[in-house]
Amino acid sequence: MSLGERMRMLARMAARARFSQAGFSSTFYLPVLRPRCHRLVMLSLDDALLIYAPKMPNNLRLSFLAASLVLACGFSSAQAADNAPQTLRFADFFQTPVGAAGLQPTERLLAAQDQQVRLVGWMVAQEDPAPGAFLLTARPVQMSEHADGDADDLPPATVLVRLPDASRVLPHQPGLIELQGRLHYGRTVAPDGRVAWLELQLAQP
């Protein structure tokens, strides 16, 4: 096998590996100028390597293969970044200041509807934690259900966090915690009967 053939084979293998990791097929299309027709055409990575690489001088062939791999790697990295969960803050949920219409969702909250997000907050300390869920807020909150009833200190931007195991009772965890899950904005009812408007469904570990 010649040097050019080995280089083409390695280029194909590297490109296919990158696209396989990103969930794509190896048919990656490149805009290539065809001299005879003087126009840009879209060729797959394999076709471009087979047609153009053997006809190029060694220095140009190396540059062509390197550029093809850079495009493939950059495309798969951009796709992975697009699939990464976005980080939201509690201040991103509702418009401020609050007007006559009451709490209104922000455009960022609406855009994150049913999407994977990352939240950092404080787990509410409850006297009677319900199985399968807990509450998350932007600041430490301790609830006394027996003494206070519905007169609690929960801020409006309180997130109902649902666990993958609906029967599990999670003990209180002090300090800031980071969570990742699917965010839903809309009326929902917690296991203890509390109505919430922000819900984060955690994925299976």
Side-chain angles (χ1 to χ4, degrees):
M1 183 182 295
S2 66
L3 175 61
E5 291 172 338
R6 287 198 297 269
M7 292 172 63
R8 291 195 297 276
M9 182 184 68
L10 290 174
R12 291 194 195 98
M13 291 173 61
R16 286 189 180 118
R18 283 288 184 179
F19 279 89
S20 176
Q21 292 173 2
F24 291 91
S25 67
S26 61
T27 307
F28 176 63
Y29 289 92
L30 300 171
V32 179
L33 178 64
R34 280 195 166 177
R36 290 184 180 180
C37 55
H38 302 286
R39 64 186 177 88
L40 286 174
V41 295
M42 300 301 292
L43 292 178
S44 70
L45 179 61
D46 282 350
D47 289 340
L49 291 172
L50 287 173
I51 295 172
Y52 291 98
K55 302 176 182 179
M56 294 179 177
N58 287 336
N59 59 336
L60 291 181
R61 185 185 298 118
L62 287 173
S63 300
F64 180 77
L65 293 175
S68 301
L69 290 177
V70 167
L71 285 172
C73 296
F75 186 83
S76 60
S77 299
Q79 180 67 24
D82 289 341
N83 292 334
Q86 61 174 310
T87 299
L88 289 182
R89 303 174 303 159
F90 285 84
D92 296 327
F93 291 147
F94 298 112
Q95 298 178 18
T96 54
V98 179
L103 290 174
Q104 296 295 315
T106 64
E107 292 184 0
R108 189 167 187 187
L109 173 59
L110 296 177
Q113 174 77 308
D114 295 326
Q115 301 296 317
Q116 289 290 324
V117 302
R118 183 182 294 109
L119 281 176
V120 177
W122 300 79
M123 182 178 180
V124 175
Q126 297 178 261
E127 286 183 342
D128 296 323
F134 65 91
L135 301 175
L136 191 76
T137 56
R139 57 179 175 80
V141 175
Q142 183 169 354
M143 293 176 57
S144 301
E145 291 92 332
H146 296 297
D148 300 332
D150 294 334
D152 53 50
D153 294 327
L154 290 175
T158 296
V159 179
L160 172 65
V161 180
R162 292 193 184 271
L163 304 176
D165 183 359
S167 62
R168 181 184 178 188
V169 177
L170 190 68
H172 179 256
Q173 301 182 33
L176 286 170
I177 58 175
E178 180 179 308
L179 303 175
Q180 179 177 320
R182 187 176 298 277
L183 182 69
H184 177 75
Y185 169 65
R187 189 180 187 278
T188 185
V189 180
D192 60 359
R194 179 184 301 274
V195 174
W197 288 88
L198 296 165
E199 178 181 285
L200 185 71
Q201 176 64 58
L202 302 185
Q204 291 286 349

